[in-house]
Amino acid sequence: MTDLRVLHTLRCLGFTDLARVADAAALSEADTESRLIDLAVDGLVTRTPGPFGGWGLTEAGKAEDARLVAAELTAAGTRESVAGAFERFLVLNPELLDLCTAWHMRPADGVAELNDHTDAAYDSRVLARFVDLDRRAADVCTTLETALPRFASYRRRLSAALGRATAGELEHLADTTTSYHNVWFQLHEDLLVTLGIPR
Amino acid sequence: MTPTGPPSPRSHDRSLPLAGPDRRARPLSPADPAGPDVLGGKGHGLVTMMRLGMPVPPGFVIPPAACRAYLRDGTLPEDLEAAARDLRVPLVSVRSGAEVSMPGMMDTFLDVDPCSPRLRAAVEEVFASWLAPRAVTYRELHGIPHDLGTAVVVQAMVSGEHDEHSGSGVAFSRDPSSGVKRPYGDLLFERPGSDVVSGSVATRPLAGLEEREPGVWAALLDGLDRVERHYRDVCHVEFTFESGRLWFLQVRPGGLAGRAAVRVAVDLADEGLIDRATAVRRLSARQLRAARTARIRLTDDLDVIARGTGAGPGVATGRIALTADRAARMASDGPVILVRPHTSPLDMHGLAAAAGIVTTVGGPTSHAAVVARAMGKPAIVGAGALSVDPAAGLLRTAGRVLPEGTPVTIDGTGGEVVAGAADTTTDESDPYLERLLGWSANNPGD
């Protein structure tokens, strides 16, 4: 039977290295690698060597993932609940993107400058709005987790990113591969794939 | 369509001073002396254009005081229905218009029957959208007070999709990339204005209007000239033309940055619209700093393939790749520019491998833009004239076809996609910046 946990985690991460798949799937690296190799034998994933290489799905892998995820949702009988959560996600999404943009670029005198992070008051205003948005996002995550338990990974990873940012590691808002924005971006992709909506 | 004249004597009577700020509907009229605090920024601009003799659809403004009252006790001005009926038009638009512009943050309703309960509901929704979390975030980030409230502008609908002599567009009075004195903008024939700004439909360059609708073109140039002379600055307008008749829907002065802002200030001084001291005052230290960021050197023979919105500053040259996989493979042989319709997590390795990123849809706050900036890469979004065909390995525009691998240069500030390896420019070589700095040093010599 196809290992949907690792296949679908990689589908939503896109194209990445072993450590990130393991972290997102909440599995050990050794276990994750063994499962990836099994999927590769079935022609569903592939590993590209080179400086920009990593693990990714083949076209067959994407098709198989879409089929299995649709079957999973049908079996759970929670399509309506996931679709409702996606609508609420789409209300929050532009605000999250505004916040990431405000984190990188700072409008002043009609010029959008790169935010050089020398104004602590501005940065803390942005962070406070991230925290406020995260409170509202938590409701969406709870609905999703109740509908399909595998969505629990997003709450865990979003909280981890925000926790590190509020503790002073501000690059975890929008700049690292495990940043709040990147996890959010994967959640967006996951919702589209789960509901079978083309981007 | 009912022509809009000065307020009737009756409406004068109704505007006798009362205790507290006036919440009542105010007809859009060139005679209204109120400022943006009462008319909102959009309403004030519309009244200004009427005063300049420009065509503006008839309508009325509900002042921000009415929004504050609504958010306090849920009541709307009693004369709302009467004001809507008095327009005597079949359909209206209902738009927000705060004193300080908050583009895209609040609701807009089109094609509303002014005599239906939907009008009331639309006004209520626009008022309520002042408190939408995204709008609150915007005000927090831009230092706008939360207690201002927004005006609502109700106007007769003009249709950009009425017939083949209809359409919509946006225009700057001068080129926003260079500051050169020639109108620049985007246009769609037989489409509503919402399609022009959505980025979901490939727009045409503004100049296409001259040939197809010369009358509209002439009226547009005339209007751009009038608002420039009035505001003594470059202006941005939104317009719709219905059956060959032009209507202005919004005006906003300023909005240029960097070198373009410098050039406009110097040119306006040379044209006598502002004095040199004003030109110097207009350019803050921030803007002068922005004028020093690397840009593509704009020359007459520059081969501009497309323009989008600059979303990550900087200039990058590389070969076109149309999929993330191709970008990752091609990057080992030299720099690559990844061109995608939009991006998903499946493109992350391509984004990492590319020297610069172009998307054909989406705005400056898209996932692609956020990721590009996080990686410090030049990026352009919403280059709507491009269409990506990965299966054929071709990038298409209206006039040409570029195979994958073709070298291009992108400017993540101005949003230009240029064929080949273009030169970049720095402040030392900008004669406009030198002249402006000369004026600021109290040295008026050229």
Side-chain angles (χ1 to χ4, degrees):
Chain A
M1 195 180 135
T2 301
D3 184 349
L4 183 59
R5 179 166 176 179
V6 168
L7 180 68
H8 189 64
T9 298
L10 182 56
R11 171 64 184 82
C12 299
L13 290 173
F15 190 96
T16 189
D17 57 32
L18 175 63
R20 286 188 56 218
V21 184
D23 173 60
L27 295 168
S28 73
E29 286 195 22
D31 190 7
T32 305
E33 186 166 38
S34 142
R35 292 171 183 231
L36 282 168
I37 290 167
D38 287 344
L39 291 166
V41 170
D42 291 341
L44 301 178
V45 306
T46 180
R47 189 175 164 279
T48 309
F52 302 105
W55 289 94
L57 269 65
T58 61
E59 287 306 316
K62 283 179 212 165
E64 180 67 357
D65 178 71
R67 194 183 65 78
L68 290 171
V69 162
E72 179 195 45
L73 185 61
T74 304
T78 51
R79 167 172 291 275
E80 210 167 300
S81 166
V82 174
F86 181 52
E87 273 181 35
R88 283 151 61 207
F89 174 90
L90 287 182
V91 174
L92 298 175
N93 190 48
E95 186 184 349
L96 183 275
L97 292 169
D98 289 345
L99 283 171
C100 294
T101 301
W103 183 248
H104 287 140
M105 308 287 289
R106 188 180 175 179
D109 299 341
V111 181
E113 279 194 330
L114 286 173
N115 181 10
D116 62 6
H117 302 293
T118 53
D119 182 349
Y122 176 81
D123 280 3
S124 72
R125 273 210 305 281
V126 179
L127 183 58
R129 292 308 296 173
F130 261 102
V131 171
D132 188 89
L133 177 126
D134 182 66
R135 256 198 303 275
R136 287 172 275 134
D139 291 343
V140 176
C141 288
T142 305
T143 306
L144 287 171
E145 193 177 331
T146 310
L148 279 180
R150 65 173 166 80
F151 275 106
S153 127
Y154 292 102
R155 188 71 220 133
R156 171 175 64 80
R157 291 190 289 141
L158 288 171
S159 295
L162 192 62
R164 293 180 76 169
T166 48
E169 297 175 70
L170 295 169
E171 67 275 18
H172 289 283
L173 290 179
D175 297 316
T176 65
T177 52
T178 53
S179 71
Y180 199 92
H181 171 261
N182 258 26
V183 177
W184 184 276
F185 191 15
Q186 289 152 22
L187 172 57
H188 193 175
E189 185 79 357
D190 200 344
L191 286 164
L192 292 170
V193 174
T194 301
L195 292 167
I197 302 167
R199 189 175 267 277
Chain B
M1 205 160 286
T2 316
T4 309
S8 68
R10 191 165 155 259
S11 72
H12 267 306
D13 291 343
R14 280 191 297 177
S15 61
L16 283 172
L18 293 172
D22 198 340
R23 295 165 45 190
R24 287 169 301 182
R26 310 172 74 95
L28 287 173
S29 156
D32 192 335
D37 56 325
V38 171
L39 296 171
K42 182 176 298 179
H44 187 252
L46 291 170
V47 165
T48 301
M49 289 195 289
M50 287 174 139
R51 226 174 273 146
L52 296 172
M54 295 160 65
V56 171
F60 59 89
V61 172
I62 309 168
C67 177
R68 296 193 290 268
Y70 175 78
L71 295 176
R72 202 166 48 237
D73 55 27
T75 60
L76 288 181
E78 284 166 15
D79 61 348
L80 171 62
E81 277 85 359
R85 224 175 18 246
D86 287 352
L87 285 177
R88 292 191 199 90
V89 295
L91 293 173
V92 294
S93 63
V94 180
R95 301 171 203 261
S96 64
E99 180 180 352
V100 185
S101 165
M102 295 171 52
M105 290 297 137
M106 288 179 286
D107 289 347
T108 287
F109 297 89
L110 302 177
D111 298 323
V112 178
D113 177 349
C115 299
S116 71
R118 222 188 124 215
L119 175 74
R120 227 183 147 76
V123 172
E124 287 181 336
E125 288 214 32
V126 173
F127 282 163
S129 69
W130 174 261
L131 294 181
R134 190 174 176 217
V136 173
T137 290
Y138 186 91
R139 291 196 295 274
E140 282 286 316
L141 298 177
H142 291 80
I144 301 169
H146 290 301
D147 58 1
L148 290 178
T150 180
V152 170
V153 180
V154 178
Q155 266 184 302
M157 280 297 299
V158 284
S159 170
E161 40 195 343
H162 190 69
D163 56 25
E164 74 267 33
H165 299 292
S166 304
S168 304
V170 293
F172 277 99
S173 56
R174 301 181 187 223
D175 189 320
S177 311
S178 63
V180 171
K181 189 174 182 182
R182 60 169 173 245
Y184 174 84
D186 298 300
L187 181 70
L188 283 173
F189 289 104
E190 295 175 65
R191 292 278 196 159
S194 49
D195 281 0
V196 178
V197 292
S198 73
S200 59
V201 183
T203 56
R204 292 157 172 252
L206 184 68
L209 196 56
E210 184 172 11
E211 193 181 322
R212 188 157 150 178
E213 293 295 333
V216 174
W217 174 251
L220 178 65
L221 294 190
D222 177 62
L224 288 172
D225 187 56
R226 288 178 196 222
V227 288
E228 267 210 349
R229 287 178 179 285
H230 173 79
Y231 287 105
R232 298 168 187 271
D233 202 350
V234 60
C235 289
H236 178 261
V237 298
E238 293 181 16
F239 61 91
T240 284
F241 48 103
E242 181 181 308
S243 303
R245 186 166 178 196
L246 177 68
W247 299 95
F248 289 94
L249 304 179
Q250 180 159 304
V251 62
R252 225 181 262 148
L256 265 49
R259 285 163 179 283
V262 170
R263 165 129 192 201
V264 166
V266 170
D267 282 349
L268 289 174
D270 285 348
E271 292 163 28
L273 277 177
I274 57 175
D275 59 30
R276 289 178 175 183
T278 306
V280 169
R281 259 200 315 278
R282 275 197 187 163
L283 275 299
S284 66
R286 275 204 177 80
Q287 279 172 317
L288 292 176
R289 211 155 56 227
R292 292 190 182 95
T293 47
R295 300 288 306 274
I296 287 177
R297 187 190 298 279
L298 295 161
T299 54
D300 288 341
D301 57 351
L302 200 65
D303 185 2
V304 178
I305 300 163
R307 289 188 205 223
T309 304
V315 174
T317 300
R319 290 159 303 134
I320 296 169
L322 299 176
T323 67
D325 286 342
R326 290 281 300 154
R329 274 201 299 278
M330 287 166 62
S332 52
D333 300 326
V336 168
I337 305 293
L338 177 63
V339 186
R340 296 287 299 155
H342 45 73
T343 63
S344 85
L346 295 173
D347 299 315
M348 289 299 271
H349 58 308
L351 296 172
I357 296 136
V358 179
T359 69
T360 63
V361 299
T365 61
S366 58
H367 290 304
V370 172
V371 171
R373 285 192 292 257
M375 294 176 173
K377 298 190 177 183
I380 296 172
V381 294
L386 297 174
S387 91
V388 177
D389 184 348
L394 298 173
L395 182 64
R396 295 195 168 88
T397 71
R400 61 208 281 187
V401 176
L402 303 164
E404 205 164 32
T406 307
V408 291
T409 303
I410 67 168
D411 184 330
T413 305
E416 296 91 358
V417 182
V418 170
D423 286 343
T424 56
T425 176
T426 54
D427 60 315
E428 294 83 26
S429 58
D430 186 319
Y432 294 94
L433 188 58
E434 279 171 29
R435 285 187 66 205
L436 190 88
L437 292 174
W439 297 345
S440 69
N442 255 341
N443 171 11
D446 284 355

